[in-house]
Amino acid sequence: MKENSLQFWLRRLGLSLIGLLLVISLNSYLTSPSNAQGVLKVGTEPAFPPFEMQAPGGKGLTGFDIDLFQAIGEEAGLEIQFQSMPFDGLIPALQSQTIDAAISGMTITAERAQTVDFARPYFQSGLAIAVRTEDKGEINGFDDLENKRIAVAIGTTGAQEAQKISGVEIFTFDNSALALQELSNGKVDAVVNDAPVTLYAIKVGNLNNVEVVGELLTEEYYGIALPKNSPNLEKVNNALDELLKTGRYRQIYQKWFAGEPAKLPLVAPALEGETAAFSLTRMLPTLLWGALVTVMLTAFSVFFGTIGGTLLATASISDFKPLGWLSRIYIDFFRGTPLLVQIFMIYFGLPSLLQQIGLDFSFNRFAAAVTALSLNSAAYLAEIIRGGIQSIDQGQWEAAQSMGMGWVQTMRYVIFPQAFRRMLPPLGNEFITMIKDTSLVAIIGFEELFRQGQLMVATTYRAFEIYAAVALIYLFLTFIASRVFSWLENRLNPVRRANKKASAKVTSSSEQLAS
Ligand code: ARG
């Protein structure tokens, strides 16, 4: 016996050790910046033409930045592997050393230079205002932007600049292509974005109703970013020097832009400024505000979802067959397609469809988010409700009916109360899922809890602290929800209720006896 349990523990220990080793080796394989010697993993956000974009035919990346870094690689004897990621994920990825460098039309700023190192400036740029041609008379420069609706790309200098204008309503998108699309669709009044990118989009893209107005708002320099104290910094700088000297830089420049490249300083002027320190407590109120928005989003969606779900469930158990089929189709569609796709279809697809048939329709974000979440959860709730009702024994219907009860009465007094108790656990699950799924609407720029976190990371680059705080707030919300549901379950438990009544009777009769 003793021997056996010793063996058992030894075996467990051995297995755990093997598991640990596996995790460690997998981890070092996944996180080491360069798995092979001489390979440089370079992060980029490829929706920023002409600096970085998908090559025609979807084969790899192309653009000024891509050509430039390839040339740097050749010069420095390094093999370059590009890795696409969101723009606001680049600096966190550099911090965690998942990538070795980033080239992404990234402006050298003093805030960024606190967390990453920049190589010498490689491009002179600036922010421009874009408006729809029809509004050109009205918005001519920075001062005309007050109280306007402005679209920007997340984590960019354009987003920071837009925040300085008083009274503006800012709409944040994952990249500048989406922001410009929003302008062209007429949902915002202006876009603040890097001038060369906006100009290129107008010229090459489908944006014939958009124009750049006024003067450049800023003078900025793009730099290649590397993790702090990276051994590659010097190699990249030397290679850039070489490319500038030999005229290779000019060649690449003229492949993508007209005219002569600007003279580049050795250090970006922005690095001469001072910056504020990071403090999580200062950010907490914004996160809590985001949490409140999340709660409201959940409440509205569950409310409408329940109405929809009840109707669907009733339809699916009704004797009228076509109703049943329709609700089946609905449920299969909304359960069988990703919520994210549904959100996109509703927010971007529906208005454009309606516009095509001549209706001037555009969604407010909150309405779009609630619509998408309610439509989706109605499908799940319908199944929970139907399942609950159908789980009640047929005999109960018969008994109620033999007592002369009609359908509604039977449902109300006999079936539903019992079914509801059985529905509670899956309803609780659905509610908790809903709280978490609201984070998906961040993608349409709706500022709920997760989006607020993202926006903060985009300006402070403290990914770990901020996302951990966001996660804790979600955990708190789901914890409360699960407590409320177990409390409900307990309360509605007839056995417990009967016991309570019985004990109440006993005490009251013993009180009577005593008096
Ligand atoms: N220059 C701007 C910045 O650094 C925007 C860069 C966006 N780049 C991109 N690949 N999406 O903030």
Side-chain angles (χ1 to χ4, degrees):
M1 182 73 203
K2 265 235 162 100
E3 188 104 309
N4 269 346
S5 71
L6 187 69
Q7 263 179 359
F8 171 78
W9 283 111
L10 278 179
R11 224 185 15 237
R12 279 208 112 166
L13 191 69
L15 279 177
S16 330
L17 274 179
I18 292 175
L20 195 69
L21 278 177
L22 266 177
V23 169
I24 290 174
S25 54
L26 193 67
N27 191 41
S28 58
Y29 170 75
L30 287 176
T31 54
S32 78
S34 354
N35 298 324
Q37 272 296 312
V39 176
L40 212 63
K41 281 202 210 154
V42 179
T44 187
E45 190 282 310
F48 207 58
F51 292 94
E52 39 268 324
M53 56 187 147
Q54 214 74 47
K59 280 193 236 80
L61 301 174
T62 180
F64 174 80
D65 283 356
I66 306 297
D67 287 351
L68 185 69
F69 218 122
Q70 291 289 13
I72 291 174
E74 278 163 36
E75 201 63 54
L78 294 165
E79 189 194 320
I80 308 300
Q81 267 174 17
F82 287 105
Q83 225 169 70
S84 299
M85 51 179 72
F87 186 71
D88 58 324
L90 287 170
I91 291 190
L94 286 169
Q95 279 176 295
S96 65
Q97 309 216 355
T98 345
I99 50 176
D100 308 293
I103 189 161
S104 213
M106 188 185 285
T107 304
I108 302 175
T109 68
E111 289 86 12
R112 289 173 181 164
Q114 285 188 329
T115 38
V116 295
D117 278 344
F118 281 105
R120 62 167 295 177
Y122 71 85
F123 192 90
Q124 189 189 39
S125 183
L127 293 173
I129 302 167
V131 299
R132 252 167 299 125
T133 313
E134 60 193 73
D135 296 341
K136 218 175 122 192
E138 200 187 326
I139 306 173
N140 287 312
F142 193 74
D143 298 334
D144 303 328
L145 288 178
E146 274 183 20
N147 305 319
K148 291 278 186 301
R149 296 170 304 169
I150 299 179
V152 295
I154 188 165
T156 60
T157 45
Q160 271 168 13
E161 199 62 24
Q163 251 144 29
K164 296 185 190 155
I165 309 163
S166 79
V168 287
E169 197 183 345
I170 295 180
F171 295 79
T172 316
F173 290 87
D174 275 10
N175 56 55
S176 46
L178 286 176
L180 286 164
Q181 188 60 53
E182 198 78 348
L183 174 66
S184 168
N185 287 349
K187 289 195 196 159
V188 292
D189 306 309
V191 164
V192 177
N193 186 37
D194 300 50
V197 175
T198 302
L199 289 170
Y200 187 87
I202 292 173
K203 206 171 93 195
V204 179
N206 233 339
L207 298 174
N208 34 32
N209 61 345
V210 172
E211 262 173 70
V212 164
V213 291
E215 289 171 6
L216 290 191
L217 303 179
T218 53
E219 184 184 84
E220 305 186 351
Y221 288 93
Y222 293 166
I224 292 167
L226 300 109
K228 275 255 172 253
N229 307 318
S230 160
N232 296 311
L233 180 64
E234 207 189 306
K235 291 185 202 162
V236 171
N237 269 334
N238 290 341
L240 265 172
D241 286 343
E242 236 358 76
L243 295 176
L244 283 162
K245 231 189 280 161
T246 57
R248 178 96 190 266
Y249 174 89
R250 183 169 171 269
Q251 234 175 13
I252 299 176
Y253 184 94
Q254 286 176 342
K255 175 173 165 196
W256 296 99
F257 305 98
E260 285 298 317
K263 260 214 143 346
L264 295 169
L266 266 174
V267 179
L271 291 188
E272 269 122 45
E274 275 297 309
T275 46
F278 168 80
S279 127
L280 192 60
T281 39
R282 242 193 16 232
M283 320 226 129
L284 212 56
T286 322
L287 283 185
L288 291 180
W289 170 251
L292 191 69
V293 176
T294 289
V295 169
M296 267 164 45
L297 203 55
T298 311
F300 273 98
S301 309
V302 166
F303 177 76
F304 290 114
T306 310
I307 295 180
T310 312
L311 293 176
L312 284 168
T314 321
S316 70
I317 55 175
S318 95
D319 291 333
F320 185 53
K321 282 270 146 34
L323 263 186
W325 296 331
L326 280 182
S327 93
R328 249 318 355 127
I329 293 175
Y330 179 97
I331 292 171
D332 283 342
F333 178 79
F334 280 94
R335 273 201 324 190
T337 52
L339 177 54
L340 199 57
V341 177
Q342 293 164 18
I343 292 172
F344 267 82
M345 271 179 64
I346 286 167
Y347 186 67
F348 294 107
L350 202 60
S352 84
L353 178 77
L354 291 177
Q355 266 156 24
Q356 268 165 33
I357 57 172
L359 289 169
D360 190 17
F361 178 82
S362 96
F363 247 136
N364 152 302
R365 264 154 224 263
F366 187 72
V370 169
T371 310
L373 291 170
S374 315
L375 287 176
N376 181 273
S377 78
Y380 287 92
L381 289 169
E383 286 295 89
I384 295 173
I385 297 170
R386 184 187 59 82
I389 290 174
Q390 286 182 338
S391 76
I392 304 299
D393 186 51
Q394 193 61 29
Q396 304 256 349
W397 284 95
E398 286 154 13
Q401 249 130 42
S402 72
M403 286 172 67
M405 287 187 176
W407 193 93
V408 177
Q409 272 179 317
T410 310
M411 190 53 126
R412 173 145 182 227
Y413 296 110
V414 181
I415 306 297
F416 193 75
Q418 303 181 65
F420 184 63
R421 219 165 60 73
R422 294 194 185 168
M423 290 175 207
L424 270 176
L427 280 181
N429 275 342
E430 178 57 23
F431 197 82
I432 288 175
T433 306
M434 177 65 98
I435 294 179
K436 294 184 292 173
D437 278 357
T438 53
S439 61
L440 287 174
V441 302
I443 197 88
I444 57 172
F446 185 72
E447 286 170 16
E448 40 62 73
L449 176 55
F450 173 57
R451 186 64 168 189
Q452 293 289 11
Q454 258 186 322
L455 289 171
M456 276 178 192
V457 173
T459 48
T460 60
Y461 314 110
R462 298 303 185 108
F464 182 77
E465 294 94 322
I466 292 173
Y467 287 134
V470 167
L472 278 179
I473 298 178
Y474 275 114
L475 187 63
F476 176 74
L477 294 180
T478 54
F479 178 77
I480 300 278
S482 95
R483 284 303 94 166
V484 168
F485 271 91
S486 9
W487 174 80
L488 257 181
E489 235 175 273
N490 231 324
R491 235 191 98 89
L492 296 181
N493 187 339
V495 177
R496 204 192 73 110
R497 237 185 355 205
N499 283 345
K500 217 172 160 189
K501 258 199 199 135
S503 65
K505 247 192 205 141
V506 169
T507 41
S508 71
S509 52
S510 55
E511 266 161 18
Q512 257 168 22
L513 270 183
S515 64

